[in-house]
């Protein structure tokens, strides 16, 4: 047993409070956490404590204002900060979380006849005042929950566009700053022209100090504005990166399993990685280039005013850049796509090698695998070389076009100066302005592939956001908590795709409350698909699946899964402590309930023998050193900690030794009759524990009867 228990973090203390119906930690951790529960009551929040536990920050040593706002956002309450005083806050804006200028935290509950009702976390008291005149920031809350009678918002076709609308003010500020920056850049060549034509030409040195001072002020202002623009771009990029990352990850997490489970891990990681190009666009030089491009027209107009027909030369070069891009970019894009595919293939092989190196060595496949990696590496190097060569040619062409434009402008300008149609100062000013025109054009031309990657990523984000997730606004948790475990399956059919054979075909049977049913059959007979359907992972495409008379398709998928304890064939433990892993299916479980579940799974003594007991961290490489039977028992404990009346076991005997298997049989005998148990198994010893057994073949039930009958059929088929 652990002699030196790990100190509890703030989030764990709050979770324990909620499990034990206590508020001690909330009042002790921080003034912000102290205000959380009273604020939720004022907002009318009456949902499950389980949701609040799941909204708590993980591994947080302190609960600050940001944590509280994030928790409230997760629960459906967006907050908006407003600089104001308590006396100026209107009645309809209550309740509000108020932070005074001297960092006093108050929960403003309501306003009646100029009397403010508030909660003071420092004194842990509810008070009233008619003279509470504090200056500070009030955080006002908006309830984003759908209400009765309100329509569910339609999924937009341009999610990214609607997201950008939230940054309209920032974008306007950025364009305004860029305009002033370009105006300053425009005045510098004009200043040079005045120096050459008015100061040097007229030999009037008296005005020189004033001109230089003005230019210095202009340059200082230009540097300051560039710094502020970079800072504002960084803030915009950070907020966009956070919002896109969080929302896309949430959408992928809440998509129906059928959308994602057929994709490889490498493909899903690559898809998420592509979204980073949107962030890179705003954090890199591309965003500044995009802001500069509209003002190229301004410089062309000024060149036309100063030099007349000379403006046609950079204008022709602008058209030349566009034509070159239209000709060159399709060819470059094909090379970039080839290089990207080669990198993805190489990454996939590396990931497969890391995940399956034991299997590769066990079959002596090192040479074959190395040869496959060598071929992929060669393709990656070749495609990257061709992409690099194309980029280099394009860079040289763009640089050559810029140089040719400069020489052409200088030549034509020299002729105009010699003819007396233009001054030397005007020619020098035009040369400076020409570079101001061509530099952003060249940069945009060379960054064209990045622009395309960003546009492609935005399209993928919009496509992802158009998919409907499983979350519904209706709550069925209260209904599902009272499940008895009566399962009725009537002529259920299901296939994974329109071109795939049916995984289930007309399956029908019934499981009564407290009954134990064993399902057996050859690989590919539909057993695991049926289990996942009962667990709410898939919906029947034909027929019906009813729990206590309720059709599965009418229930909230997340609430359904929480009401069912499911032990999959492949055991996964996640980063965190053993207690946190056991609580995954029931975050409200107290420490005693966690220990009882571990004892019921027959693994409590092994857990407490570890140096840190239930606080032992797992989920990383440590699980590779743990016996499969121990991990299987942890998964069983995770199922037992749930109060669910339905227990699903998918091949529970996989990877168990004789001792672990005996312990598992004892566990089943103990819980038999208290829950409806559905077990997929091939072991006769497991099947004979059931009240009845079902034999499946090619997605259909071919026999339903006593366990002995099914075992006999299995043995006959094996013979």
């Amino acid at each position: 047993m652990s002699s030196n228990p790990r100190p509890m973090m703030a989030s764990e203390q709050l979770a324990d409070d909620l499990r034990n119906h206590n508020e001690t930690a909330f009042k002790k951790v921080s003034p912000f956490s102290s205000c959380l529960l009273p604020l939720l009551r004022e907002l009318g929040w009456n949902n499950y404590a389980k949701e609040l536990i799941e909204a708590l920050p993980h591994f947080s040593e302190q609960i600050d204002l940001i944590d509280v706002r994030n928790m409230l956002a997760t629960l459906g309450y967006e907050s908006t900060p407003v600089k104001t005083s308590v006396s100026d806050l209107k009645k309809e804006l209550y309740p509000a979380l108020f932070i005074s200028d001297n960092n006093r935290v108050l929960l403003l509950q309501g306003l009646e006849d100029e009397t403010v009702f508030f909660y003071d976390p420092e004194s842990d008291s509810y008070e009233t005042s008619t003279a509470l005149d504090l200056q500070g920031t009030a955080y006002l809350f908006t309830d984003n929950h759908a209400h009765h009678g309100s329509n569910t918002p339609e999924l937009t076709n341009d999610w990214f566009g609607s997201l950008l609308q939230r940054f309209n003010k920032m974008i306007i500020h950025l364009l305004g700053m860029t305009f002033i920056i370009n105006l300053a850049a425009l005045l510098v060549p004009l200043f040079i022209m005045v120096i050459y034509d008015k100061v040097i030409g007229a030999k009037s040195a008296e005005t020189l100090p004033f001109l230089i001072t003005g230019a210095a002020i202009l340059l200082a202002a230009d540097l300051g504005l560039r710094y502020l623009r970079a800072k504002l771009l960084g803030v915009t990029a950070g907020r966009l990166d956070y919002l896109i990352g969080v929302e896309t990850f949430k959408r992928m997490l809440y998509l129906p399993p059928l959308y994602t489970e057929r994709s490889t891990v490498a493909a899903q990681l690559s898809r998420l990685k592509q979204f980073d190009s949107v962030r890179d666009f705003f954090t890199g030089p591309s965003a500044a280039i995009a802001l500069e491009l509209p003002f190229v027209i301004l410089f062309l107009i000024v060149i036309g005013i100063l030099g007349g027909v000379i403006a046609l030369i950079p204008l022709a070069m602008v058209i030349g850049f566009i034509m070159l891009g239209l000709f060159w970019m399709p060819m470059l894009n094909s090379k970039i796509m080839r290089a990207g595919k080669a990198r993805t293939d190489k990454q996939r092989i590396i990931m497969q090698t890391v995940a399956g190196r034991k299997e590769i060595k066990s079959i002596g496949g090192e040479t074959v695998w190395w040869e496959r990696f060598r071929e992929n590496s060669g393709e990656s190097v070749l495609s990257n070389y061709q992409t690099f060569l194309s980029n280099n040619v394009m860079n040289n062409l763009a640089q050559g076009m810029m140089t040719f434009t400069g020489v052409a402008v200088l030549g034509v300008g020299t002729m105009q100066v010699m003819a007396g149609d233009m001054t030397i100062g005007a020619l020098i000013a035009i040369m400076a302005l020409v570079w101001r025109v061509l530099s952003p054009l060249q940069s945009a031309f060379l960054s064209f592939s990045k622009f395309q990657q960003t546009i492609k990523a935005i399209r993928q984000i919009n496509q992802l956001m158009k998919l409907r997730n499983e979350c519904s606004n209706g709550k069925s948790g209260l209904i599902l908590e009272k499940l008895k475990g009566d399962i009725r399956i009537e002529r259920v059919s299901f296939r994974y795709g329109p071109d795939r054979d049916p995984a289930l075909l007309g399956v029908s049977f019934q499981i009564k409350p407290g009954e134990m049913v064993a399902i057996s059959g050859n690989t590919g007979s539909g057993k695991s698909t049926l289990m996942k359907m009962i667990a709410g992972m898939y919906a029947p495409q034909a027929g019906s699946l009813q729990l206590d008379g309720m059709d599965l398709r009418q229930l909230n998928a997340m609430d359904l899964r929480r009401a069912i304890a499911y032990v999959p064939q492949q055991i996964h433990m996640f980063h965190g402590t053993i207690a946190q892993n056991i609580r995954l299916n029931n975050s409200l479980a107290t420490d005693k309930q966690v220990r009882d579940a571990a004892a019921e799974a027959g693994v409590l003594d092994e857990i407490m023998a570890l140096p840190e007991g239930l606080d032992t961290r797992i989920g990383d490489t440590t699980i590779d050193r743990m016996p499969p039977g121990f991990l299987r028992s942890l998964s069983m404990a995770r199922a037992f900690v749930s109060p669910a009346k339905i227990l699903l076991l998918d091949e529970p005997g996989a990877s168990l030794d004789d001792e672990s298997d005996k312990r598992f049989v004892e566990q089943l005998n103990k819980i038999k009759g208290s829950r409806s148990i559905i077990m997929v198994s091939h072991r006769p010893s497991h099947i004979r524990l059931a009240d009845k057994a079902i034999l499946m073949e090619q997605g259909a039930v071919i026999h339903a009867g006593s366990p002995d009958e099914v075992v006999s059929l299995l043995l006959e088929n094996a013979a």
Side-chain angles (χ1 to χ4, degrees):
M1 189 167 178
S2 174
S3 57
N4 295 310
R6 178 179 58 84
M8 291 181 68
M9 293 190 175
S11 55
E12 294 173 332
Q13 294 176 32
L14 300 185
D16 270 358
D17 262 17
L18 290 168
R19 294 183 188 111
N20 296 297
H21 309 288
N22 195 359
E23 295 185 19
T24 305
F26 279 89
K27 296 176 180 178
K28 288 183 177 180
V29 168
S30 75
F32 299 105
S33 65
S34 185
C35 290
L36 182 59
L37 291 179
L39 175 59
L40 285 170
R41 294 187 191 107
E42 293 296 331
L43 290 169
W45 186 81
N46 55 3
N47 288 323
Y48 315 117
K50 182 183 293 185
E51 289 188 353
L52 182 52
I53 290 177
E54 292 170 354
L56 291 171
H58 296 284
F59 309 120
S60 179
E61 297 181 359
Q62 187 57 270
I63 303 297
D64 56 18
L65 177 61
I66 295 175
D67 292 324
V68 169
R69 292 181 69 188
N70 286 337
M71 280 187 274
L72 289 165
T74 303
L75 296 172
Y77 299 98
E78 293 291 338
S79 55
T80 305
V82 176
K83 290 289 291 183
T84 185
S85 64
V86 175
S87 58
D88 291 336
L89 200 62
K90 295 181 180 179
K91 180 180 179 179
E92 56 267 22
L93 299 179
Y94 284 74
L97 188 63
F98 190 84
I99 317 295
S100 69
D101 290 338
N102 60 356
N103 294 323
R104 185 183 178 187
V105 180
L106 297 174
L107 169 59
L108 305 180
Q109 297 174 282
L111 179 65
E112 289 291 340
D113 299 328
E114 298 185 357
T115 299
V116 178
F117 295 82
F118 65 95
Y119 169 71
D120 187 351
E122 187 175 346
S123 60
D124 188 25
S125 60
Y126 292 88
E127 303 176 20
T128 61
S129 174
T130 56
L132 192 64
D133 192 15
L134 294 173
Q135 294 285 336
T137 303
Y139 290 87
L140 311 177
F141 297 93
T142 304
D143 188 351
N144 290 332
H145 295 93
H147 298 281
H148 180 71
S150 62
N151 294 325
T152 304
E154 292 296 325
L155 296 173
T156 176
N157 289 326
D158 188 12
W159 180 87
F160 186 79
S162 61
L163 175 65
L164 277 185
Q165 289 178 4
R166 298 168 60 176
F167 296 86
N168 280 344
K169 290 183 179 179
M170 283 190 174
I171 294 172
I172 291 171
H173 288 158
L174 286 169
L175 287 171
M177 285 182 180
T178 306
F179 173 73
I180 298 174
I181 289 169
N182 280 276
L183 198 61
L186 179 63
L187 292 175
V188 171
L190 296 179
F191 164 76
I192 295 172
M193 184 180 70
V194 170
I195 293 292
Y196 270 91
D197 293 345
K198 303 298 181 183
V199 177
I200 297 176
K203 296 182 180 180
S204 176
E206 294 83 6
T207 58
L208 186 59
F210 298 103
L211 290 170
I212 291 176
T213 302
I217 294 172
L218 195 65
L219 290 172
D222 178 69
L223 288 173
L225 282 171
R226 288 182 183 275
Y227 170 75
L228 290 175
R229 186 179 70 174
K231 192 174 180 181
L232 188 57
L233 264 176
V235 170
T236 305
R239 288 183 61 187
L240 275 172
D241 182 35
Y242 173 80
L243 291 171
I244 292 171
V246 169
E247 291 300 320
T248 53
F249 185 79
K250 178 181 178 181
R251 183 55 60 103
M252 291 184 69
L253 198 61
Y254 285 107
L255 283 176
L258 204 58
Y259 280 111
T260 56
E261 65 182 8
R262 295 296 170 181
S263 299
T264 64
V265 175
Q268 295 187 50
L269 286 175
S270 177
R271 189 176 298 115
L272 285 172
K273 189 72 176 172
Q274 275 191 325
F275 297 158
D276 290 344
S277 60
V278 179
R279 177 201 59 202
D280 295 339
F281 174 83
F282 286 95
T283 54
S286 301
I289 294 169
L291 290 170
E292 296 280 355
L293 279 177
F295 299 100
V296 167
I297 299 171
L298 175 64
F299 290 102
L300 285 172
I301 292 171
V302 175
I303 292 172
I305 294 172
L306 295 178
V309 294
I310 289 182
L312 295 176
I313 298 174
L315 181 60
M317 200 51 58
V318 170
I319 297 171
F321 271 121
I322 295 172
M323 296 298 293
L324 181 61
L326 292 174
F327 168 76
W328 196 268
M329 284 305 165
M331 182 170 58
L332 179 61
N333 284 338
S334 64
K335 290 182 169 59
I336 291 173
M337 289 180 64
R338 179 185 172 188
K341 183 179 182 302
R343 283 194 301 270
T344 302
D345 291 343
K346 184 179 177 181
Q347 183 185 24
R348 185 182 295 115
I349 285 187
I350 291 173
M351 291 182 66
Q352 289 175 347
T353 304
V354 172
R357 59 186 180 275
K358 291 181 181 178
E359 286 77 6
I360 293 172
K361 294 189 73 67
S362 65
I363 60 174
E366 293 94 337
T367 303
V368 175
W369 203 254
W370 174 79
E371 180 64 25
R372 187 179 299 178
F373 179 77
R374 189 181 67 82
E375 291 176 1
N376 275 270
S377 296
E379 170 63 17
S380 178
V381 170
L382 179 61
S383 58
N384 284 330
Y385 167 73
Q386 292 178 345
T387 303
F388 167 78
L389 195 62
S390 295
N391 274 320
N392 195 265
V393 170
M394 190 172 64
N395 290 345
N396 291 333
L397 281 172
Q399 187 63 43
M401 291 169 67
M402 279 190 66
T403 305
F404 175 78
T405 303
V407 172
V409 169
L410 182 61
V412 175
T414 301
M415 297 297 294
Q416 288 190 348
V417 170
M418 292 174 65
D421 296 332
M422 188 169 58
T423 63
I424 294 177
L427 176 60
I428 295 172
I430 287 172
M431 289 298 297
L433 291 170
V434 165
W435 297 120
R436 288 290 307 179
V437 170
L438 295 179
S439 291
L441 279 174
Q442 183 193 23
S443 300
F445 178 71
L446 297 179
S447 302
F448 191 75
S449 59
K450 291 184 179 179
F451 284 117
Q452 284 192 316
Q453 286 179 351
T454 304
I455 292 171
K456 182 180 178 183
I458 290 172
R459 286 174 180 165
Q460 288 189 340
I461 290 172
N462 285 334
Q463 288 175 356
L464 175 64
M465 291 302 175
K466 283 193 289 187
L467 299 175
R468 291 192 176 274
N469 59 30
E470 290 183 317
C471 269
S472 65
N473 293 321
K475 293 288 181 184
S476 57
L478 292 174
I479 300 172
L480 292 172
E481 283 180 0
K482 301 175 182 178
L483 276 181
K484 297 178 181 178
D486 183 15
I487 303 172
R488 185 182 295 273
I489 300 172
E490 295 182 352
R491 303 190 62 80
V492 165
S493 297
F494 177 83
R495 66 173 72 202
Y496 287 99
D499 56 342
R500 305 287 296 273
D501 292 332
L504 296 175
L505 186 60
V507 175
S508 298
F509 61 88
Q510 182 180 3
I511 301 168
K512 297 177 181 178
E515 193 173 33
M516 180 176 176
V517 175
I519 301 176
S520 192
N522 295 325
T523 302
S525 60
K527 307 181 301 298
S528 294
T529 301
L530 181 60
M531 293 285 278
K532 290 178 180 179
M533 186 171 290
I534 298 171
M537 304 290 280
Y538 307 141
Q541 294 167 347
S544 68
L545 196 161
Q546 297 179 4
L547 302 180
D548 288 8
M550 297 178 290
D551 192 284
L552 179 124
R553 287 166 291 200
Q554 298 174 340
L555 301 174
N556 182 303
M558 289 186 63
D559 285 339
L560 173 63
R561 290 173 201 148
R562 287 171 175 169
I564 293 175
Y566 178 41
V567 181
Q569 183 175 353
Q570 297 293 328
I571 302 301
H572 292 284
M573 292 292 151
F574 301 93
H575 178 68
T577 64
I578 289 177
Q580 287 170 336
N581 271 275
I582 292 177
R583 280 195 179 102
L584 277 177
N585 199 32
N586 183 15
S587 54
L588 286 175
T590 62
D591 290 341
K592 182 181 183 303
Q593 289 172 326
V594 170
R595 287 192 295 270
D596 289 345
E600 191 176 0
V603 76
L604 180 61
D605 292 340
E606 292 179 62
I607 292 174
M608 302 313 290
L610 296 172
E612 295 184 62
L614 286 165
D615 291 328
T616 303
R617 292 197 179 277
I618 58 175
D620 48 20
T621 55
T622 56
I623 62 173
D624 294 335
R625 300 190 295 270
M626 293 180 175
F630 177 74
L631 296 176
R632 174 69 60 177
S633 296
L634 286 183
S635 184
M636 294 291 292
R638 181 191 293 167
F640 293 157
V641 82
S642 169
K645 291 297 182 181
I646 299 174
L647 176 62
L648 307 180
L649 304 173
D650 193 355
E651 295 287 0
S655 69
L656 292 184
D657 54 28
D658 291 339
E659 184 178 348
S660 298
D661 186 64
K662 288 179 182 177
R663 186 170 63 185
F664 171 71
V665 170
E666 291 175 2
Q667 294 164 4
L668 283 186
N669 282 320
K670 287 179 183 177
I671 63 173
K672 188 177 177 182
S674 62
R675 311 184 189 206
S676 299
I677 303 174
I678 306 172
M679 175 179 59
V680 169
S681 182
H682 290 91
R683 294 195 179 191
S685 59
H686 293 177
I687 297 173
R688 289 192 175 100
L689 293 172
D691 298 309
K692 66 180 179 183
I694 292 170
L695 185 62
M696 295 186 67
E697 186 175 317
Q698 295 182 349
V701 175
I702 61 172
H703 183 80
S706 69
D708 289 333
E709 291 173 353
V710 170
V711 169
S712 299
L713 289 172
L714 281 174
L715 294 176
E716 288 177 11
N717 293 336

